[in-house]
Amino acid sequence: MIWSLALHSLRHRPLRTTLTAAGIAIAVGSMVVFLSLGEGLRQAFADELSGVGAEIQISSGPFEASGFGSVPELPLSTIDDIKRVGEPLGVIDVIPLVLYLRGGFTPDSSFAFQGLPADIDIAGVYPGYEIVAGRGITPEDANRNVAVVGVQAAERSNLEIGDPLRLSPDATFEIIGLADATGGLLSNGILVPLESLQVAIDSPDRVSFLVVDIDDPSRADEVADALGEAFPELGVQTAGDVLAVIERGIRITDVVRLGISAIALIVGAIAVANTVLMSVFERTREFGVVRAVGARPRFLFGVVLAESVLLSIVGGLVGVLLGFAGAWIVNIVSADLIGLDVAAITMRLILFSLAVALAMGLLSGLAPSARAARIQIAHAVSQGN
Amino acid sequence: MSGISDTMSGMLAAEAVTRTYTTPAGDVHALRGVSHAFMPGRVTAVMGPSGSGKSTLLNLLAGFDRPSSGRVVFDGVSLGDLPERELAGLRLRRFGFVFQSSNLISVLPARKNVAFPMGLAGLSLRERTDRAQALLERFGVDHRADAVPNRLSGGERQRVALARALANDPDVVFADEPTGNLDRSSGREVVNALREVAADGRTVIVVTHDGAVADAADVTLRIVDGEIDDAADASETALHEPVAST
Ligand SMILES: Nc1ncnc2c1ncn2[C@@H]1O[C@H](COP(=O)(O)OP(=O)(O)OP(=O)(O)O)[C@@H](O)[C@H]1O
Ligand SMILES: [Mg+2]
């Protein structure tokens, strides 16, 4: 009875019902898009890091403080110290890595240079590493300015084999091949011999990170702890630590994005409450009649609450669809600009959004429902005679 | 329609009822002590000038409002002693209502309007539909069963309202100016319908300005200034014999 009367009432005023549901849909839709950015970033980072073979990486200080692209600070000599201490712990190899970001005004003129020793097996650092075109870096390239470009970086910046890549006014690298690997870290970057990158950025004997290879990956935490104790001045992180730091960063942006969404939702909820309240006032006489023929106050409470819940469920469902459309558009743009899908709509995001829509309906329906339940029959039926 | 065998079931009485409205402009004594017993099987017309307290009396009798003093007694129980929940049950199962106009639920078609109180009373969909159809037929509006109220004529609307008033086979039917918005012939139809309803053995109480309604009533109660006007006392009009209950 309650739901049937609520449905009839909503259908009786199709325009008002549609507009109100559209308001909710837009509020929920924008929330879905905002939150999908965080989900997308999480997925992207998880993918990228799963593409890194190293279980442990070492930087010159705490990971959070060592910004990407700052000057490499780790002395090369550290490698031997770590090898010596790490051998009994199961450390197989320690690979130095120099990271240098050449910023540009647009994403397609920004490059992430990664210097790795010319004589190592890249697949050990980037599982699934393969040369797609041209050739890879060989030990003979150690002091040459050659570069292997990730396929996504190449596509984005329109690079081809033989093209020069300017790192600084004094250093230009020649592209000798295109490569791909699992995850996007390599595919979005540029691989050059460690030694030539050190010379090019005038930072010999210093590296950004040390990538530690161990024989038993499941003992990564244990080994990392031992190394951290032996070298308190260094930052030692497992892949899990890195993810945790990134997760924390995304959480912070979650709060910001939730805040923005909350504003849209509150505005939407107030609009719904206002519309439903107005429709209660308009129906005072009619509700009086409903009470006169024997309905209890809680029946009217239920009818009005059911109306706003129905509105918000429909609005919420449409909002999720709008969110899909919005995230799709965001991804078209972001894939074009930075080669990443930054928005992702996950099941938990869908469920969360529907729950928020339902809560919005319940909350905004409360005041109008209470108003409807308080209607005095004698007063109501004498109206508009 | 099941007949009502117990004649005294459905007797409604006002006992020294007063109602004073408190307003910013001062107290309004709408009723100043009204006593009257409304009998089953009869149509009682409540007449009187505008503002004399007719609607106020009806509201008290129907339990919409509580008297400032005095009692309204239905089947031996004082309505003032009942909690709102039980009053709602009384209105649902023992009372029926027809108001001046637009007293149907505007979003529901005629049949669903009639079936509405049955739904509240817990009847199954089948029973509701069958009973509603029968009631619409009884008042000659079954051909309009699927029309929403604002597609109905004023007379049709009041007949649908009457059908709804009988939905749960009540003992008392209240009507406040049921012919107020109708032309003469539609008004006559509604009056005849009300007489039939009383013929079932129900107590029918009609507030009206309409002389034709009063003429058709078994009893006429005149209210002037919140009191029963003794000059035109609630004597039975000789025109109509009280309808014997079956
Ligand atoms: N809710 C209220 N608050 C204050 N005064 C009221 C209220 N309801 C009715 N009155 C006053 O009480 C008196 C009786 O009103 P009531 O509606 O019972 O008259 P009535 O006989 O039904 O008149 P009418 O024939 O015009 O319908 C009037 O003076 C009216 O102004
Ligand atoms: Mg009146």
Side-chain angles (χ1 to χ4, degrees), chain A residues 1 4-5 8-9 12-13 285-286 288-299 376-379 381-382 384-385, chain B residues 59 64-65 84-85 88-89 91-92 97 99-109 112 116-117 119-120 128 150 164:
Chain A
M1 287 290 285
S4 141
L5 190 56
H8 271 103
S9 303
H12 195 68
R13 291 196 171 74
R285 187 188 153 84
E286 189 158 319
V289 172
V290 170
R291 291 271 284 106
V293 302
R296 295 201 213 157
R298 72 157 90 129
F299 178 87
Q376 297 295 316
I377 309 176
H379 172 74
V381 296
S382 66
N385 257 332
Chain B
N59 288 341
F64 294 165
D65 193 9
E84 181 56 38
R85 187 171 42 82
R91 286 193 288 265
L92 179 60
F97 300 91
F99 303 101
Q100 182 166 354
S101 64
S102 61
N103 66 88
L104 295 173
I105 300 167
S106 60
V107 298
L108 300 179
K112 289 202 172 176
F116 183 77
L120 289 178
R128 299 204 298 255
N150 62 17
R164 185 183 62 189

Side-chain angles (χ1 to χ4, degrees), chain A residues 379, chain B residues 21-23 28 30 48-57 177 207 209:
Chain A
H379 172 74
Chain B
Y21 295 109
T22 311
T23 70
V28 178
S50 185
S52 57
K54 304 181 296 294
S55 297
T56 301
L57 177 62
E177 316 238 17
V207 167
H209 284 293

Side-chain angles (χ1 to χ4, degrees), chain A residues 42-341:
Chain A
R42 279 193 181 84
Q43 279 186 359
F45 278 110
D47 287 352
E48 308 273 300
L49 289 173
S50 73
V52 180
E55 283 80 27
I56 299 175
Q57 69 164 36
I58 294 174
S59 57
S60 64
F63 172 67
E64 290 144 85
S66 68
F68 294 110
S70 56
V71 190
E73 288 175 339
L74 216 50
L76 255 182
S77 55
T78 323
I79 294 185
D80 295 328
D81 299 340
I82 290 173
K83 275 189 174 155
R84 187 169 34 77
V85 174
E87 198 128 53
L89 296 167
V91 170
I92 304 169
D93 202 1
V94 178
I95 301 161
L97 188 150
V98 173
L99 191 66
Y100 180 80
L101 294 181
R102 202 208 79 180
F105 291 114
T106 59
D108 62 351
S109 61
S110 306
F111 300 108
F113 287 87
Q114 302 178 37
L116 281 170
D119 56 355
I120 62 154
D121 176 17
I122 308 283
V125 180
Y126 291 112
Y129 173 77
E130 56 169 347
I131 293 295
V132 179
R135 64 176 185 89
I137 292 170
T138 60
E140 292 77 58
D141 292 320
N143 283 301
R144 298 197 193 134
N145 281 3
V146 292
V148 169
V149 180
V151 285
Q152 286 188 29
E155 189 181 328
R156 187 168 66 239
S157 307
N158 227 344
L159 300 174
E160 282 170 20
I161 294 175
D163 283 354
L165 252 183
R166 243 166 68 107
L167 182 144
S168 70
D170 304 326
T172 301
F173 287 73
E174 186 198 340
I175 299 175
I176 56 168
L178 302 182
D180 202 358
T182 318
L185 219 50
L186 179 99
S187 158
N188 275 299
I190 290 160
L191 209 57
V192 297
L194 177 77
E195 299 79 0
S196 25
L197 183 56
Q198 284 176 321
V199 171
I201 62 175
D202 199 16
S203 180
D205 303 328
R206 302 257 157 178
V207 298
S208 314
F209 298 104
L210 295 176
V211 177
V212 179
D213 230 357
I214 54 179
D215 55 0
D216 180 4
S218 66
R219 289 180 56 232
D221 282 332
E222 204 181 310
V223 176
D225 285 349
L227 289 178
E229 251 168 59
F231 304 97
E233 74 282 6
L234 300 181
V236 181
Q237 301 90 23
T238 61
D241 292 338
V242 177
L243 262 186
V245 168
I246 291 173
E247 172 66 24
R248 198 154 78 225
I250 295 178
R251 281 263 167 78
I252 293 171
T253 73
D254 275 348
V255 172
V256 174
R257 282 175 291 111
L258 260 177
I260 297 174
S261 314
I263 295 174
L265 291 172
I266 289 169
V267 171
I270 291 175
V272 175
N274 182 53
T275 312
V276 177
L277 190 60
M278 267 180 33
S279 80
V280 168
F281 284 134
E282 284 170 12
R283 288 179 290 175
T284 298
R285 187 188 153 84
E286 189 158 319
F287 282 172
V289 172
V290 170
R291 291 271 284 106
V293 302
R296 295 201 213 157
R298 72 157 90 129
F299 178 87
L300 287 180
F301 187 92
V303 169
V304 176
L305 200 58
E307 285 177 15
S308 53
V309 165
L310 284 172
L311 276 173
S312 49
I313 288 177
V314 172
L317 287 172
V318 175
V320 168
L321 292 182
L322 283 181
F324 267 103
W328 182 68
I329 293 171
V330 166
N331 282 340
I332 289 183
V333 175
S334 75
D336 189 40
L337 289 182
I338 56 174
L340 273 183
D341 284 354

